[in-house]
């Protein structure tokens, strides 16, 4: 699992809710072991006309931002004008939509990228972050060791829900985004946008994970506290927290040493939001292929497959 960030005290190994791992194996031995398909909302339809050319792109081992940058260069538009719904895993084979504000339907070249354009549509508006409904995953865990009955039992538990942690990829390699966030919090004035936006997002994700970890430890991560409709935690920012008194008390205790970060997020233009503490995968199924375990499931936007895998086993990755 993820290791603490060096020299920073950011321990990314958050407590598990379902007990010790029941298996081990290898994750992402090759990009094809981690396949992600972006899902647009059921009620979404491309308009068929408009100033934006939308491209469905399948990429292998490529960062979403790299693809956006290449599309911008190939079409002569600013990178900020290229739209996409969410960042996808780099060490994977992923399919997602991009929009480019260009006339005509000429498909831009993606030279130098391991990517291909699967389809195209025209649309009246730019694709924006969070517009997608979620993602469909197919994950192959290689050379899995462990008792198969115990593994099947744990997979049944996963289907009921796991802690909705932000995955380690949100925090950068070895937690470097958190180290950068710590530097931001020491500034008298914090500006969002650009790289700072990434660091601020990591900071509020870290605070959320601390609250969730506290509720995992006290056994209330999947059980509403008094007054809660469902278990939720804070995405910190400006504004009055809608947390119930019982939840607010837990959050205050969990974040007692992080007032500077809370203050910084409040003054960086972010607004107070809430996020579910429980992640429930949709259509979870699995099958064995010799010693490999193949998982299929869907997650909502902003949910991490690594949060699911962490409750199953310990998996070495390149």
């Amino acid at each position: 699992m993820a290791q603490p960030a060096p020299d920073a005290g950011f321990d990314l190994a958050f407590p598990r809710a379902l007990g010790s791992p029941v298996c081990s194996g290898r994750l992402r031995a090759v990009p094809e072991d981690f396949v992600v398909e972006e899902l647009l909302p059921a009620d979404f339809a491309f308009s068929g006309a408009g100033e934006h050319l939308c491209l469905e792109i399948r990429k292998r081992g490529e960062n979403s931002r790299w693809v956006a940058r290449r599309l911008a260069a190939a079409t002569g538009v600013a990178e900020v004008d290229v739209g996409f719904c969410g960042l996808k895993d780099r060490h994977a084979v992923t399919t997602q939509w991009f929009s480019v504000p260009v006339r005509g339907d000429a498909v831009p070249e993606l030279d130098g990228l391991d990517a291909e354009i699967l389809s195209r549509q025209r649309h009246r508006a730019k694709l924006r972050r969070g517009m997608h409904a979620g993602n469909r995953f197919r994950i192959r865990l290689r050379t899995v060791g462990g008792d198969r009955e115990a593994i099947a039992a744990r997979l049944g538990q996963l289907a009921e829900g796991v802690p909705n942690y932000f995955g380690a990829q949100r925090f950068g390699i070895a937690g470097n985004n958190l180290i950068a966030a710590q530097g931001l919090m020491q500034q008298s004035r914090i500006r969002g946008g650009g790289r700072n936006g990434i660091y601020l997002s990591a900071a509020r994700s870290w605070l959320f994970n601390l609250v969730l970890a506290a509720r995992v430890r006290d056994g209330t991560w999947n059980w509403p506290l008094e007054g809660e409709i469902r278990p939720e935690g804070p995405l910190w920012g400006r504004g009055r927290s809608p947390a119930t008194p019982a939840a607010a008390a837990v959050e205050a205790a969990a974040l007692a040493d992080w007032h500077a970060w809370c203050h910084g997020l409040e003054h960086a233009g972010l607004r107070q939001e809430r996020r579910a503490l429980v992640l429930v995968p949709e259509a979870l199924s699995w099958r064995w292929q010799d010693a490999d375990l193949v998982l299929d499931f869907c997650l909502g936007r902003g949910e991490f497959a690594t949060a699911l895998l962490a409750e199953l086993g310990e998996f070495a990755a390149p």
Side-chain angles (χ1 to χ4, degrees):
M1 300 305 295
Q3 298 299 311
D7 304 320
F10 296 113
D11 186 352
L12 303 181
F14 297 102
R16 295 180 172 90
L18 303 181
S20 300
V22 295
C23 63
S24 61
R26 291 189 298 147
L27 174 65
R28 304 181 200 257
V30 295
E32 287 77 9
D33 288 350
F34 204 96
V35 178
V36 186
E37 179 188 357
E38 183 175 82
L39 302 175
L40 297 177
D43 60 356
F44 177 86
F46 291 102
S47 59
E51 67 174 286
H52 294 269
L53 176 62
C54 296
L55 303 169
E56 184 183 26
I57 296 178
R58 180 166 58 213
K59 50 195 175 62
R60 180 183 186 273
E62 302 286 0
N63 183 295
S64 298
R65 287 196 176 91
W66 296 348
V67 175
R69 190 173 300 128
R70 181 55 56 84
L71 288 172
T75 56
V77 305
E79 184 180 342
V80 70
D81 292 328
V82 177
F84 56 94
C85 299
L87 297 172
K88 301 292 185 280
D89 297 87
R90 174 188 171 192
H91 301 290
V93 175
T94 64
T95 301
Q96 68 180 120
W97 285 90
F98 293 81
S99 67
V100 189
V102 294
R103 296 181 181 275
D105 293 331
V107 176
E109 298 291 337
L110 295 176
D111 295 339
L113 295 180
D114 192 349
E116 61 177 319
I117 296 173
L118 303 180
S119 61
R120 61 188 182 184
Q121 297 276 354
R122 293 213 69 89
H123 194 51
R124 61 180 175 270
K126 175 183 177 180
L127 297 179
R128 298 193 178 277
R129 298 297 180 87
M131 279 181 56
H132 60 309
N135 298 285
R136 180 182 293 115
F137 293 84
R138 173 164 292 172
I139 296 175
R140 177 183 291 270
L141 303 171
R142 292 187 180 268
T143 320
V144 174
D147 181 80
R148 292 200 176 186
E149 289 188 4
I151 293 171
R154 179 61 58 86
L155 287 166
Q157 289 181 288
L158 299 188
E160 298 298 317
V162 301
N164 192 20
Y165 287 119
F166 285 97
Q169 56 267 52
R170 174 60 61 91
F171 306 117
I173 298 173
N176 284 336
N177 289 350
L178 293 172
I179 297 173
Q182 177 66 26
L184 276 184
M185 298 308 171
Q186 295 172 352
Q187 298 178 8
S188 58
R189 184 177 181 184
I190 301 175
R191 296 182 181 275
R195 299 297 297 179
N196 283 1
I198 295 172
Y199 304 146
L200 292 172
S201 177
R204 72 196 311 224
S205 299
W206 169 257
L207 297 183
F208 174 88
N209 277 11
L210 292 180
V211 170
L212 176 51
R215 292 189 59 166
V216 168
R217 293 188 188 96
D218 68 19
T220 65
W221 67 277
N222 59 347
W223 192 262
L225 298 175
E226 183 179 358
E228 281 190 313
I229 297 175
R230 65 170 186 170
E232 291 182 331
L235 295 176
W236 208 270
R238 182 173 297 174
R240 185 180 181 86
S241 171
T244 65
V250 173
E251 293 165 17
L255 303 180
D257 296 330
W258 298 89
H259 290 309
W261 282 40
C262 294
H263 179 81
L265 290 169
E266 290 170 8
H267 289 81
L270 298 172
R271 62 183 179 86
Q272 185 87 212
E273 297 177 284
R274 305 291 286 177
R275 172 181 165 96
L277 297 184
V278 183
L279 180 161
V280 180
E282 294 184 17
L284 174 63
S285 65
W286 62 89
R287 64 185 184 279
W288 289 96
Q289 292 187 349
D290 298 324
D292 296 349
L293 178 60
V294 180
L295 307 178
D296 289 279
F297 54 90
C298 296
L299 298 180
R301 64 178 180 270
E303 296 177 339
F304 288 77
T306 49
L308 199 72
L309 298 177
E311 295 288 345
L312 175 61
E314 294 274 9
F315 304 107

Short mmCIF file of all heavy atoms in Angstrom, two decimals, residues 39-69:
data_model
loop_
_atom_site.label_atom_id
_atom_site.label_comp_id
_atom_site.label_asym_id
_atom_site.label_seq_id
_atom_site.Cartn_x
_atom_site.Cartn_y
_atom_site.Cartn_z
N LEU A 39 -18.23 6.99 -18.27
CA LEU A 39 -19.66 6.86 -18.48
C LEU A 39 -20.31 8.23 -18.42
O LEU A 39 -20.21 8.93 -17.40
CB LEU A 39 -20.28 5.95 -17.41
CG LEU A 39 -19.71 4.52 -17.32
CD1 LEU A 39 -20.32 3.79 -16.13
CD2 LEU A 39 -19.97 3.75 -18.61
N LEU A 40 -20.98 8.62 -19.49
CA LEU A 40 -21.72 9.87 -19.49
C LEU A 40 -23.11 9.65 -18.88
O LEU A 40 -23.60 8.51 -18.87
CB LEU A 40 -21.84 10.41 -20.92
CG LEU A 40 -20.51 10.78 -21.59
CD1 LEU A 40 -20.76 11.22 -23.02
CD2 LEU A 40 -19.78 11.86 -20.81
N PRO A 41 -23.76 10.68 -18.37
CA PRO A 41 -25.08 10.50 -17.77
C PRO A 41 -26.08 9.92 -18.75
O PRO A 41 -26.01 10.16 -19.97
CB PRO A 41 -25.47 11.94 -17.37
CG PRO A 41 -24.17 12.66 -17.22
CD PRO A 41 -23.26 12.07 -18.26
N ALA A 42 -27.01 9.14 -18.23
CA ALA A 42 -28.02 8.48 -19.08
C ALA A 42 -28.84 9.49 -19.86
O ALA A 42 -29.30 9.20 -20.98
CB ALA A 42 -28.92 7.59 -18.22
N ASP A 43 -29.05 10.68 -19.30
CA ASP A 43 -29.87 11.68 -19.97
C ASP A 43 -29.05 12.65 -20.83
O ASP A 43 -29.60 13.63 -21.34
CB ASP A 43 -30.71 12.47 -18.96
CG ASP A 43 -29.85 13.21 -17.93
OD1 ASP A 43 -28.61 13.04 -17.96
OD2 ASP A 43 -30.42 13.94 -17.11
N PHE A 44 -27.76 12.38 -20.99
CA PHE A 44 -26.92 13.26 -21.80
C PHE A 44 -26.96 12.82 -23.26
O PHE A 44 -26.92 11.63 -23.57
CB PHE A 44 -25.47 13.22 -21.31
CG PHE A 44 -24.53 14.04 -22.16
CD1 PHE A 44 -24.37 15.40 -21.92
CD2 PHE A 44 -23.83 13.47 -23.20
CE1 PHE A 44 -23.51 16.17 -22.69
CE2 PHE A 44 -22.97 14.22 -23.98
CZ PHE A 44 -22.81 15.57 -23.73
N ALA A 45 -27.03 13.78 -24.15
CA ALA A 45 -26.96 13.51 -25.59
C ALA A 45 -26.20 14.63 -26.27
O ALA A 45 -26.42 15.81 -25.96
CB ALA A 45 -28.37 13.37 -26.18
N PHE A 46 -25.30 14.29 -27.17
CA PHE A 46 -24.62 15.30 -27.96
C PHE A 46 -25.63 15.99 -28.87
O PHE A 46 -26.52 15.34 -29.43
CB PHE A 46 -23.50 14.67 -28.78
CG PHE A 46 -22.34 14.18 -27.95
CD1 PHE A 46 -22.19 12.83 -27.66
CD2 PHE A 46 -21.41 15.07 -27.45
CE1 PHE A 46 -21.14 12.38 -26.90
CE2 PHE A 46 -20.34 14.63 -26.68
CZ PHE A 46 -20.21 13.27 -26.40
N SER A 47 -25.49 17.28 -29.01
CA SER A 47 -26.48 18.05 -29.78
C SER A 47 -26.40 17.77 -31.28
O SER A 47 -27.35 18.03 -32.01
CB SER A 47 -26.27 19.56 -29.52
OG SER A 47 -24.96 19.95 -29.90
N GLY A 48 -25.25 17.26 -31.74
CA GLY A 48 -25.09 16.97 -33.17
C GLY A 48 -24.64 18.17 -33.98
O GLY A 48 -24.29 18.04 -35.16
N ALA A 49 -24.65 19.34 -33.37
CA ALA A 49 -24.19 20.57 -34.02
C ALA A 49 -23.66 21.49 -32.95
O ALA A 49 -23.97 21.35 -31.76
CB ALA A 49 -25.33 21.23 -34.80
N GLY A 50 -22.84 22.45 -33.37
CA GLY A 50 -22.28 23.39 -32.41
C GLY A 50 -20.81 23.60 -32.67
O GLY A 50 -20.21 22.97 -33.54
N GLU A 51 -20.20 24.48 -31.89
CA GLU A 51 -18.82 24.89 -32.16
C GLU A 51 -17.78 23.91 -31.62
O GLU A 51 -16.58 24.05 -31.91
CB GLU A 51 -18.56 26.27 -31.58
CG GLU A 51 -18.59 26.32 -30.06
CD GLU A 51 -18.18 27.69 -29.53
OE1 GLU A 51 -16.97 28.00 -29.57
OE2 GLU A 51 -19.06 28.43 -29.09
N HIS A 52 -18.19 22.90 -30.85
CA HIS A 52 -17.22 22.01 -30.23
C HIS A 52 -17.20 20.64 -30.91
O HIS A 52 -18.25 20.00 -31.09
CB HIS A 52 -17.54 21.82 -28.74
CG HIS A 52 -17.37 23.08 -27.95
ND1 HIS A 52 -16.18 23.43 -27.34
CD2 HIS A 52 -18.24 24.09 -27.70
CE1 HIS A 52 -16.33 24.59 -26.74
NE2 HIS A 52 -17.58 25.01 -26.94
N LEU A 53 -16.01 20.21 -31.31
CA LEU A 53 -15.81 18.86 -31.83
C LEU A 53 -15.45 17.97 -30.64
O LEU A 53 -14.46 18.20 -29.95
CB LEU A 53 -14.67 18.85 -32.85
CG LEU A 53 -14.26 17.49 -33.41
CD1 LEU A 53 -15.42 16.83 -34.16
CD2 LEU A 53 -13.02 17.60 -34.29
N CYS A 54 -16.28 16.96 -30.40
CA CYS A 54 -16.07 16.05 -29.27
C CYS A 54 -15.50 14.73 -29.79
O CYS A 54 -16.03 14.15 -30.74
CB CYS A 54 -17.38 15.81 -28.52
SG CYS A 54 -18.05 17.30 -27.75
N LEU A 55 -14.42 14.29 -29.15
CA LEU A 55 -13.70 13.11 -29.59
C LEU A 55 -13.64 12.09 -28.46
O LEU A 55 -13.23 12.40 -27.34
CB LEU A 55 -12.28 13.49 -30.01
CG LEU A 55 -12.15 14.55 -31.10
CD1 LEU A 55 -10.71 15.02 -31.24
CD2 LEU A 55 -12.66 14.00 -32.43
N GLU A 56 -14.06 10.88 -28.76
CA GLU A 56 -13.92 9.78 -27.82
C GLU A 56 -12.55 9.14 -28.08
O GLU A 56 -12.30 8.62 -29.16
CB GLU A 56 -15.03 8.76 -28.01
CG GLU A 56 -15.01 7.63 -26.99
CD GLU A 56 -16.08 6.58 -27.24
OE1 GLU A 56 -16.50 6.43 -28.41
OE2 GLU A 56 -16.49 5.91 -26.27
N ILE A 57 -11.68 9.18 -27.09
CA ILE A 57 -10.30 8.77 -27.27
C ILE A 57 -9.96 7.64 -26.29
O ILE A 57 -10.23 7.75 -25.09
CB ILE A 57 -9.34 9.95 -27.07
CG1 ILE A 57 -9.60 11.01 -28.14
CG2 ILE A 57 -7.88 9.49 -27.10
CD1 ILE A 57 -8.74 12.25 -28.00
N ARG A 58 -9.38 6.59 -26.84
CA ARG A 58 -8.84 5.52 -26.00
C ARG A 58 -7.32 5.68 -25.97
O ARG A 58 -6.68 5.79 -27.00
CB ARG A 58 -9.21 4.14 -26.55
CG ARG A 58 -8.67 2.99 -25.69
CD ARG A 58 -9.31 1.67 -26.05
NE ARG A 58 -9.10 1.36 -27.45
CZ ARG A 58 -9.99 0.69 -28.21
NH1 ARG A 58 -11.14 0.30 -27.69
NH2 ARG A 58 -9.71 0.42 -29.47
N LYS A 59 -6.77 5.72 -24.77
CA LYS A 59 -5.34 5.96 -24.62
C LYS A 59 -4.72 4.92 -23.70
O LYS A 59 -5.38 4.37 -22.81
CB LYS A 59 -5.09 7.38 -24.08
CG LYS A 59 -5.88 7.74 -22.84
CD LYS A 59 -5.86 9.24 -22.61
CE LYS A 59 -6.75 9.66 -21.47
NZ LYS A 59 -6.35 9.11 -20.17
N ARG A 60 -3.45 4.66 -23.95
CA ARG A 60 -2.72 3.65 -23.17
C ARG A 60 -1.48 4.30 -22.57
O ARG A 60 -0.63 4.81 -23.28
CB ARG A 60 -2.30 2.49 -24.09
CG ARG A 60 -1.52 1.38 -23.40
CD ARG A 60 -1.09 0.34 -24.42
NE ARG A 60 -0.48 -0.81 -23.80
CZ ARG A 60 0.82 -0.91 -23.49
NH1 ARG A 60 1.63 0.11 -23.77
NH2 ARG A 60 1.30 -2.00 -22.92
N GLY A 61 -1.43 4.32 -21.24
CA GLY A 61 -0.27 4.89 -20.56
C GLY A 61 -0.12 6.39 -20.76
O GLY A 61 1.00 6.90 -20.73
N GLU A 62 -1.23 7.08 -20.97
CA GLU A 62 -1.18 8.52 -21.25
C GLU A 62 -2.00 9.30 -20.23
O GLU A 62 -3.09 8.89 -19.85
CB GLU A 62 -1.72 8.82 -22.66
CG GLU A 62 -0.99 8.10 -23.79
CD GLU A 62 0.37 8.70 -24.09
OE1 GLU A 62 0.76 9.66 -23.43
OE2 GLU A 62 1.04 8.19 -25.02
N ASN A 63 -1.46 10.43 -19.83
CA ASN A 63 -2.13 11.34 -18.91
C ASN A 63 -3.20 12.14 -19.64
O ASN A 63 -2.99 12.56 -20.78
CB ASN A 63 -1.05 12.27 -18.32
CG ASN A 63 -1.58 13.23 -17.29
OD1 ASN A 63 -2.38 14.09 -17.61
ND2 ASN A 63 -1.09 13.11 -16.08
N SER A 64 -4.35 12.35 -19.02
CA SER A 64 -5.43 13.12 -19.65
C SER A 64 -4.97 14.50 -20.06
O SER A 64 -5.34 15.02 -21.12
CB SER A 64 -6.63 13.24 -18.70
OG SER A 64 -7.17 11.97 -18.39
N ARG A 65 -4.16 15.15 -19.22
CA ARG A 65 -3.69 16.50 -19.55
C ARG A 65 -2.74 16.49 -20.74
O ARG A 65 -2.71 17.43 -21.51
CB ARG A 65 -3.01 17.13 -18.32
CG ARG A 65 -3.99 17.54 -17.22
CD ARG A 65 -3.31 18.50 -16.25
NE ARG A 65 -4.25 18.98 -15.26
CZ ARG A 65 -4.48 18.39 -14.08
NH1 ARG A 65 -3.83 17.29 -13.78
NH2 ARG A 65 -5.35 18.88 -13.23
N TRP A 66 -1.94 15.42 -20.88
CA TRP A 66 -1.07 15.34 -22.04
C TRP A 66 -1.89 15.30 -23.33
O TRP A 66 -1.55 15.94 -24.32
CB TRP A 66 -0.19 14.09 -21.97
CG TRP A 66 0.78 14.07 -20.83
CD1 TRP A 66 1.11 15.11 -20.02
CD2 TRP A 66 1.53 12.94 -20.38
NE1 TRP A 66 2.02 14.70 -19.08
CE2 TRP A 66 2.30 13.38 -19.27
CE3 TRP A 66 1.62 11.62 -20.78
CZ2 TRP A 66 3.16 12.52 -18.59
CZ3 TRP A 66 2.48 10.77 -20.12
CH2 TRP A 66 3.23 11.22 -19.02
N VAL A 67 -2.97 14.51 -23.30
CA VAL A 67 -3.82 14.42 -24.48
C VAL A 67 -4.46 15.76 -24.78
O VAL A 67 -4.52 16.21 -25.93
CB VAL A 67 -4.89 13.33 -24.30
CG1 VAL A 67 -5.86 13.31 -25.47
CG2 VAL A 67 -4.23 11.95 -24.13
N ALA A 68 -4.96 16.45 -23.74
CA ALA A 68 -5.55 17.77 -23.94
C ALA A 68 -4.53 18.75 -24.53
O ALA A 68 -4.86 19.53 -25.43
CB ALA A 68 -6.08 18.31 -22.61
N ARG A 69 -3.29 18.67 -24.05
CA ARG A 69 -2.25 19.56 -24.56
C ARG A 69 -1.96 19.28 -26.04
O ARG A 69 -1.79 20.19 -26.84
CB ARG A 69 -0.99 19.38 -23.72
CG ARG A 69 0.10 20.40 -23.97
CD ARG A 69 1.23 20.23 -22.97
NE ARG A 69 0.74 20.41 -21.60
CZ ARG A 69 0.95 19.53 -20.62
NH1 ARG A 69 1.62 18.42 -20.85
NH2 ARG A 69 0.49 19.77 -19.42
#
